[in-house]
Amino acid sequence: MSSTDAEMNWVEEAWQFAAAKVIRLNASIGDNFVHVSHEGSYDRTRSHAWTAGFWPGLLWLVYRDTLNETLRVTAERCEQKLDAGIDDFVNLHHDVGFIWMPSSVANYKLTGNPLSKIRALKVASWLAGRFNVRGKFIRAWNEGSGIGSRSNAGWAIIDCTMNLSLLLWASLVTGDPRYRHIAVEHANTVLRHFVREDGSCCHIVAFNPETGERIEALGGQGYAPDSAWSRGSAWALYGLALLYRYTRDEAYLQGSRRIAEFFLAHLPEDNVAPWDFSFPDKERAHKDSSAAAIAASGLLLLSELEKEEAAGKRYGVNARRILKSLCEHYAVWGDKDEAILLHGTGNFPANKNIDAGLIYGDYFFVEALAKLRGQKETFW
Ligand code: GLY
């Protein structure tokens, strides 16, 4: 067997196991929203949670390949339930991209459902409305839902880089450039204030919401203001690659590359990132399999977009290494756990969801496997 055949075998095998597991999970999870798997079972969460789009997203990923109608029906039911968040409106936050891209945009791209398009445009308009004109950033959270008791009116976070493609998609489908203008301004703020010279990123930057002046970086879900939270790096790597795909502005390609180089240079032997690359206590340096899966999917996009052949190839090879390690040491193919990937770290500083299965880890892992099988279209 050639090495290419051997590689296709593990990818194909992993995909088939994952698809079969999602079909089984459809019977137990149904149209509920899930976030964290503890002791073998996924919890049930509210439709407002930033993670609510990933279960329907997983269903759409497997539907796209299998055309299994029961998956489509459940994904559509989840999407209808997400309307509660749009109706409630005031409790929506910047993570509407995470929620409505793998649900409504996925549905629209796969089936042309006109209601899905309208839902996604409504939340894109909400996201655009969070733009702070003075500071040129999209506000992350609402009052009372940040960290501690400080006002967060001037806070932007690195995760938002991944929400920006909702705005870029909205400009494409409406022909109105304003959504794109806002995405580009926020992305420029990310390059200027979040991505450091060495390619590491901070989680939160606090700006003065009146003047737009930068006040300080905050540690947030990372270990410290100057540390390197691995999932934040993965969001920025992937998000900036998407910015480049939509705009073809070289600055985003360079930003994504810089982050990729930092991420890859700091990987441990098994190619799966710890939750923060700078955390000094190696005993408690838990892995974050979700950061690994997100980065791998982002690296596969970067490898496709990269103009320098050798670099593009290297990103692809490294993405495969990460995914193979996840397959061999982190994935549960049977039903011992509802999660597909174990050993994710949700929020170490808040002591939440440590060494757990995380639905976004599962989503990006399966998305990346689909890319390795040749799937070019993404929901982002
Ligand atoms: N809020 C996104 C994350 O925890 O990665």
Side-chain angles (χ1 to χ4, degrees):
M1 196 178 354
S2 74
S3 58
T4 317
D5 289 342
E7 161 145 327
M8 284 323 291
N9 280 350
W10 73 258
V11 172
E12 190 53 31
E13 202 173 60
W15 169 267
Q16 294 301 340
F17 276 128
K21 183 158 176 171
V22 169
I23 291 169
R24 290 197 304 281
L25 284 174
N26 183 35
S28 54
I29 296 177
D31 62 1
N32 290 295
F33 298 104
V34 299
H35 178 185
V36 187
S37 166
H38 286 297
E39 292 172 13
S41 303
Y42 262 122
D43 59 355
R44 301 290 182 258
T45 55
R46 288 171 359 118
S47 60
H48 287 66
W50 74 272
T51 49
F54 292 112
W55 168 238
L58 256 179
L59 294 168
W60 285 121
L61 286 175
V62 177
Y63 169 80
R64 181 171 63 182
D65 186 67
T66 60
L67 299 180
N68 179 322
E69 271 301 293
T70 60
L71 303 186
R72 185 189 63 74
V73 169
T74 310
E76 290 224 344
R77 284 213 308 264
C78 289
E79 191 183 333
Q80 282 155 18
K81 285 169 80 175
L82 288 175
D83 284 349
I86 301 178
D87 295 343
D88 172 48
F89 197 68
V90 291
N91 288 309
L92 283 181
H93 38 71
H94 75 134
D95 278 334
V96 291
F98 282 128
I99 301 177
W100 276 278
M101 294 214 81
S103 56
S104 295
V105 173
N107 191 355
Y108 177 63
K109 284 189 175 180
L110 294 178
T111 74
N113 185 338
L115 281 180
S116 301
K117 177 179 167 186
I118 289 170
R119 288 181 176 111
L121 288 177
K122 279 184 182 168
V123 291
S125 299
W126 162 265
L127 186 59
R130 295 182 77 82
F131 187 66
N132 182 306
V133 179
R134 297 272 166 82
K136 299 190 189 307
F137 64 87
I138 292 173
R139 178 180 179 172
W141 299 311
N142 300 325
E143 226 53 88
S145 60
I147 295 167
S149 56
R150 289 172 60 177
S151 166
N152 56 26
W155 289 13
I157 70 173
I158 194 73
D159 326 24
C160 191
T161 323
M162 196 68 195
N163 287 318
L164 299 178
S165 54
L166 176 64
L167 298 173
L168 298 162
W169 170 85
S171 269
L172 268 189
V173 298
T174 60
D176 185 334
R178 290 174 301 165
Y179 299 99
R180 173 167 37 81
H181 294 163
I182 289 175
V184 159
E185 291 295 348
H186 182 92
N188 294 343
T189 297
V190 169
L191 290 179
R192 197 171 315 126
H193 292 294
F194 287 74
V195 186
R196 305 185 189 106
E197 214 32 60
D198 68 355
S200 64
C201 307
C202 60
H203 183 200
I204 302 175
V205 175
F207 297 90
N208 180 322
E210 287 292 348
T211 64
E213 202 185 328
R214 183 189 208 267
I215 302 171
E216 60 181 336
L218 301 167
Q221 281 168 247
Y223 159 61
D226 58 353
S227 76
W229 176 43
S230 60
R231 196 163 64 249
S233 293
W235 293 138
L237 183 169
Y238 197 164
L240 289 173
L242 286 165
L243 253 291
Y244 176 67
R245 193 191 69 184
Y246 276 97
T247 66
R248 295 288 153 180
D249 182 333
E250 291 280 324
Y252 307 129
L253 177 61
Q254 282 168 21
S256 181
R257 255 188 215 145
R258 191 142 51 96
I259 298 165
E261 295 300 338
F262 178 90
F263 196 97
L264 294 175
H266 288 80
L267 284 182
E269 214 170 304
D270 78 346
N271 289 303
V272 174
W275 70 276
D276 191 310
F277 289 114
S278 328
F279 191 54
D281 179 352
K282 298 300 169 208
E283 298 265 293
R284 293 191 308 147
H286 294 280
K287 296 287 187 177
D288 184 7
S289 55
S290 75
I294 298 157
S297 197
L299 283 167
L300 289 173
L301 175 63
L302 191 57
S303 125
E304 195 187 306
L305 298 170
E306 179 57 76
K307 287 178 290 189
E308 289 173 24
E309 211 184 311
K313 217 168 155 186
R314 196 159 49 80
Y315 296 139
V317 166
N318 280 291
R320 281 178 176 76
R321 282 197 187 125
I322 295 171
L323 291 165
K324 193 150 192 259
S325 180
L326 290 175
C327 281
E328 288 173 354
H329 308 296
Y330 294 76
V332 181
W333 301 121
D335 298 323
K336 219 170 96 196
D337 201 298
E338 286 190 326
I340 299 175
L341 281 188
L342 300 180
H343 311 306
T345 297
N347 188 342
F348 186 88
N351 198 22
K352 271 194 198 147
N353 308 329
I354 297 169
D355 199 11
L358 299 165
I359 191 67
Y360 40 96
D362 290 0
Y363 171 86
F364 284 100
F365 179 54
V366 174
E367 181 189 273
L369 289 175
K371 287 182 185 174
L372 283 188
R373 295 176 83 229
Q375 180 59 249
K376 294 274 180 239
E377 182 55 78
T378 74
F379 303 150
W380 302 96

